Every structure is written in structure tokens, then in C-alpha cells.
Amino acid sequence: MSRPLIERRLRDVGKQLKSLRADLAVTREQLVQLDDEADAARLRALVSEAPGAQRQHRRTARHATRLRRHNDRLIEKITSLESEQDELLDRLTATS
């Protein structure tokens, strides 16, 4: 791979990493909030005998689970791109 192609790919990877890291930060904030809501819904479901409280707890817990999966996928993508970035930097220094 030529130096200009490596540099272009490094810029692209850098932009992707910046975007994914911003998304991860937002996701983590949302996950903290949603975990708190799920805990509160769980407590309400335990105390309340109303079926609506159980449904709300299950709905909130499912949403938190989906958000955790999204968080994990973002971390995997970031890790993969960081590895690619390291490899590209190694190639760039080898072509110097």
C-alpha cells in the first residue's frame, strides 16, 4: 500500500474512531440512566401487585439489555479500528 493510501486510510479510521467514541460516551450515559430506571421499576414491581408494574419492569430491563449489547458492539468496533490504526501506523513507519 502506498504512503498516500495509508495516510488517507488513517484519516478515515481516525474519523470513524472519533464518531464511535462520541457514540460510546452517549450510550454509556444513557445506560447509567436506564439502569437506574430499571432498578426503580424492579423495586416498584416487587412492592406493587399491579400487573402494569411488572410489564414496565420487563420493558425497561429489555431496553437496558439492548443498550448494553449496543455498548458492547461499539467497544468491539473501536477495538478493531484501533488495531487497524496501529497496523497502518506500522506500515507508514516502514515506508519512511
Side-chain angles (χ1 to χ4, degrees):
M1 190 180 284
S2 70
R3 185 177 181 88
L5 288 175
I6 294 171
E7 290 172 349
R8 185 175 341 147
R9 183 64 190 142
L10 274 169
R11 283 191 298 275
D12 291 344
V13 168
K15 289 177 187 176
Q16 290 175 8
L17 281 170
K18 184 178 179 180
S19 175
L20 288 170
R21 287 177 179 144
D23 191 8
L24 181 63
V26 170
T27 299
R28 286 184 171 166
E29 288 176 18
Q30 291 174 341
L31 191 53
V32 167
Q33 179 67 28
L34 196 54
D35 279 339
D36 289 344
E37 289 177 28
D39 285 343
R42 182 183 58 80
L43 289 174
R44 280 191 304 275
L46 287 172
V47 173
S48 174
E49 294 181 13
Q54 287 290 335
R55 281 193 302 274
Q56 179 63 30
H57 165 62
R58 285 191 303 271
R59 190 175 327 138
T60 306
R62 280 193 307 266
H63 189 67
T65 299
R66 285 192 299 269
L67 195 57
R68 258 187 231 92
R69 281 191 217 124
H70 177 66
N71 184 72
D72 293 345
R73 284 190 302 272
L74 287 172
I75 291 170
E76 288 173 9
K77 288 179 186 177
I78 288 170
T79 302
S80 174
L81 283 173
E82 286 173 342
S83 294
E84 182 180 353
Q85 186 178 45
D86 289 344
E87 182 181 315
L88 288 167
L89 288 169
D90 288 343
R91 286 184 187 179
L92 188 64
T93 57
T95 61
S96 297

